[in-house]
Amino acid sequence: MTTIPEDARTHIDDLASFVEASPSSYHAADESRRRLEQAGFAPLAEGDAWDLAPGGRYVVVREGSVIAFALPASVSATTPFQIVGAHTDSPSFKLKPKPTRTGAGGWWQLGWEIYGGPLVNSWLDRELCLAGRVVTISGDEHLVRTGPIARIPQLAIHLDRQVGDGLKLDKQTHTTPVWGLGEAESADIVGRLADLAGVPSHDIAGIDIVAADTQPPRSFGADDALFASGRLDNLLSTHAGLTAIADAAPTEAIAMFAAFDHEEVGSASRSGAAGPFHEDVLTRILAAFGGGADERARSFAHSLHVSSDVGHAVHPNYSERHDPENRPVAGGGPILKINANQRYATDAHGAAAWNAACRRAGVPAQEFVSNNAMPCGSTIGPISATRLGIRTVDVGVPILSMHSARELTAVVDPWYLTRAMSALLER
């Protein structure tokens, strides 16, 4: 029998609520802001002057990214940062500028691009919603989300007798979803989105809309020890950092939570980890207390950034794909990601700092290193380390079905990760 602590179950229920509130990166950033303001964080606007006070707690949003920070009472121009980082976006499909089309048989269909690297087959035969933002001619932004509205239908086995030998999908033609039937003149998805935003269709000047699975997250399995959900990559880490910063009461360092958009497509955007958002906020904080270039360098030299993203749990059906010794197991606690070629930014000092935080939190910890024949992915860690020069360590939680429309983790691991992050931000 698996015994799950009640706090872990409470945490996983809150993670489920966060995922359901966050079908797009813009919703994730907005939900993070809402929760932080509720916890007493004052909102900041980038276009305003910042009047920061010692002991203050603040949050700022740039599009689909969010940064929050808590200042110690003794903050100065050289105070270091303790940062937990994540990303708000997930592999999906994104509507093209002219998304409405009609197909054979009177079907209404949608034109979209593949965003990131989803396991496309996992998105077949699921009821999907559309979510994101629409922008009017005047520049006003509206967050929108539909209910279940689209589905990518798989071809019946009777029409493809070779499908058992391996499913092959053309990304342009075979991933086009259906969303209605009838006269072509009535097929207007932008009009539907405008209705949700409460604005005329002709007033919509731009859209950033992605698809999301509508099946709710849930615990399942023996003793409800497993948890399945869409977008665990990487709303799981976003939620962990958000929860940790909400309770942070730092005494020596500036506690910070930073979650960025566009990690799944390389982070190279104004709101991505490779963009200027993070550096802008760090610089403005120190400048508020008289810091210049010299003070910033001194602060950064003693700072730490923990980049958190999900990693691969040992797959029971493909165990040969994993390293024979460094094999993260579900339920075994957060993972420390290591790669000799710096696809992860972890070094020995960073590993020591992270392991110390896990010990203080009383949570188990484990390492992840890829099988040499299986190239690993990467994270915001190396990008942020390169841009800022702050020591960075890559961590996460082991999951199965990464980049699937529905991923899988152990109920206890997100709770373990959050506790370790909280211990790190206590400095």
Side-chain angles (χ1 to χ4, degrees), residues 96-149:
K96 293 181 177 179
K98 295 179 180 178
T100 302
R101 55 178 292 186
T102 54
W107 295 102
W108 295 353
Q109 295 191 277
L110 298 174
W112 57 23
E113 295 181 271
I114 294 177
Y115 179 88
L119 285 174
V120 176
N121 63 292
S122 71
W123 288 77
L124 302 177
D125 300 331
R126 291 179 176 273
E127 289 69 52
L128 308 174
C129 72
L130 299 176
R133 64 180 180 179
V134 298
V135 179
T136 63
I137 293 172
S138 63
D140 292 332
E141 179 178 307
H142 301 267
L143 295 185
V144 296
R145 67 183 298 173
T146 69
I149 195 171

Side-chain angles (χ1 to χ4, degrees), residues 243-260:
T243 304
I245 194 68
D247 296 329
T251 58
E252 300 176 7
I254 299 168
M256 176 173 283
F257 158 64
F260 302 100

Side-chain angles (χ1 to χ4, degrees), residues 105-344:
W107 295 102
W108 295 353
Q109 295 191 277
L110 298 174
W112 57 23
E113 295 181 271
I114 294 177
Y115 179 88
L119 285 174
V120 176
N121 63 292
S122 71
W123 288 77
L124 302 177
D125 300 331
R126 291 179 176 273
E127 289 69 52
L128 308 174
C129 72
L130 299 176
R133 64 180 180 179
V134 298
V135 179
T136 63
I137 293 172
S138 63
D140 292 332
E141 179 178 307
H142 301 267
L143 295 185
V144 296
R145 67 183 298 173
T146 69
I149 195 171
R151 179 182 171 113
I152 307 172
Q154 188 167 189
L155 185 64
I157 191 170
H158 311 82
L159 303 177
D160 184 6
R161 294 292 184 179
Q162 305 304 312
V163 70
D165 298 330
L167 180 63
K168 296 181 181 179
L169 298 171
D170 182 276
K171 293 181 179 180
Q172 174 65 28
T173 57
H174 297 159
T175 65
T176 303
V178 298
W179 70 285
L181 286 166
E183 297 296 328
E185 294 75 14
S186 301
D188 180 13
I189 194 62
V190 175
R192 303 287 178 111
L193 297 173
D195 289 343
L196 291 172
V199 298
S201 179
H202 61 77
D203 202 25
I204 300 297
I207 60 172
D208 288 310
I209 302 293
V210 297
D213 183 26
T214 57
Q215 186 177 358
R218 67 176 301 167
S219 299
F220 73 104
D223 306 314
D224 279 342
L226 306 177
F227 180 71
S229 173
R231 304 183 297 288
L232 290 180
D233 182 6
N234 191 31
L235 293 184
L236 187 159
S237 295
T238 299
H239 176 263
L242 173 64
T243 304
I245 194 68
D247 296 329
T251 58
E252 300 176 7
I254 299 168
M256 176 173 283
F257 158 64
F260 302 100
D261 203 352
H262 303 135
E263 189 275 345
E264 297 293 352
V265 292
S267 296
S269 70
R270 68 184 299 268
S271 54
F277 185 35
H278 200 186
E279 186 174 11
D280 287 349
V281 173
L282 294 168
T283 300
R284 292 183 72 170
I285 292 170
L286 296 178
F289 300 98
D294 181 73
E295 290 80 10
R296 189 180 90 154
R298 292 163 63 189
S299 167
F300 284 13
H302 297 287
S303 297
L304 178 67
H305 177 204
V306 172
S307 160
S308 181
D309 205 343
V310 294
H312 301 291
V314 172
H315 197 301
N317 300 339
Y318 302 90
S319 62
E320 74 282 359
R321 304 290 180 102
H322 301 268
D323 185 82
E325 300 298 332
N326 300 278
R327 302 164 67 86
V329 297
I335 57 176
L336 178 67
K337 298 181 174 183
I338 300 166
N339 180 257
N341 295 310
Q342 289 296 293
R343 297 291 288 169
Y344 304 127

